[in-house]
Amino acid sequence: MRKWTGIAAGLVLAVCTGQAMAAAPSEQQVRQLMDAVGMGRMLSQMNSQMAGVMQNALPCVPASYWQGFVDANATNQLIGRMVPVYQKHFTAEDIDGLLKFYRSPLGQKVITQMPATMAEGMQIGKQWGQERGQQMIAQLQTQGTLNAQGQCPAAGAAAKPAPAPAPAPSKKK
């Protein structure tokens, strides 16, 4: 019995140690992955879009400020902040696998096609949500829970608006 207990304990220790010893990816590995998927380009585009929105919202700020605001240094700073997140959630082996995938023809296709795929998917989701909302309103109207305008019907005096206060009597001298 001791032998089996010792073997079981050894297996548990080996499995736990193996998981704990999985090497974290280096900063260089994570940056290679971000480069492979075009993260810098995406973040730069987002930064430019944000600056455009802010420029419209703050027309008093000169255009030269916004040109200086959108720079590669800001993108590199953000990537630097993201590296530890990847190091926390992925092992070096994971990053190597992702690099192999994203550098492959299929991985490159995913990178180029995913923005359009996601945009189309979001449109479909929006349409589906609107249809579901209309179905829900119609069902609740049929059940009498909502009125013809799709609102909760007035429920007695509690739902009626309060009467406006009477004007104070004027004091004429």
Side-chain angles (χ1 to χ4, degrees):
M1 185 69 177
R2 277 187 184 178
K3 181 179 178 180
W4 290 112
T5 304
I7 291 172
L11 285 173
V12 169
L13 182 61
V15 168
C16 292
T17 304
Q19 289 174 344
M21 291 180 57
S26 68
E27 181 174 347
Q28 181 183 5
Q29 278 181 298
V30 174
R31 286 183 180 272
Q32 285 175 1
L33 176 62
M34 290 183 179
D35 186 50
V37 298
M39 182 74 70
R41 191 173 48 255
M42 287 186 286
L43 294 174
S44 181
Q45 288 172 350
M46 287 173 44
N47 195 22
S48 294
Q49 289 172 351
M50 180 181 67
V53 169
M54 295 301 294
Q55 186 174 13
N56 289 336
L58 303 170
C60 60
V61 177
S64 59
Y65 174 82
W66 300 113
Q67 292 166 353
F69 182 78
V70 179
D71 66 350
N73 189 41
T75 300
N76 288 332
Q77 287 174 353
L78 181 54
I79 286 175
R81 290 181 180 196
M82 293 173 65
V83 166
V85 174
Y86 280 72
Q87 289 174 316
K88 177 181 173 184
H89 292 280
F90 296 99
T91 66
E93 187 177 336
D94 294 337
I95 298 294
D96 284 340
L98 288 168
L99 280 167
K100 186 176 183 178
F101 171 73
Y102 283 115
R103 288 175 175 162
S104 73
L106 177 57
Q108 289 299 301
K109 183 174 183 176
V110 168
I111 291 168
T112 60
Q113 296 301 311
M114 195 53 68
T117 303
M118 294 300 293
E120 289 177 37
M122 287 179 14
Q123 285 290 29
I124 290 169
K126 180 180 176 183
Q127 181 181 358
W128 175 81
Q130 289 171 342
E131 290 168 4
R132 291 284 294 162
Q134 290 169 356
Q135 290 170 355
M136 176 191 64
I137 297 291
Q139 182 181 28
L140 291 170
Q141 286 172 326
T142 301
Q143 293 172 350
T145 305
L146 298 179
N147 64 19
Q149 291 75 38
Q151 300 169 338
C152 293
K160 292 181 183 176
S170 62
K171 295 182 179 180
K172 292 184 181 179
K173 294 183 182 181

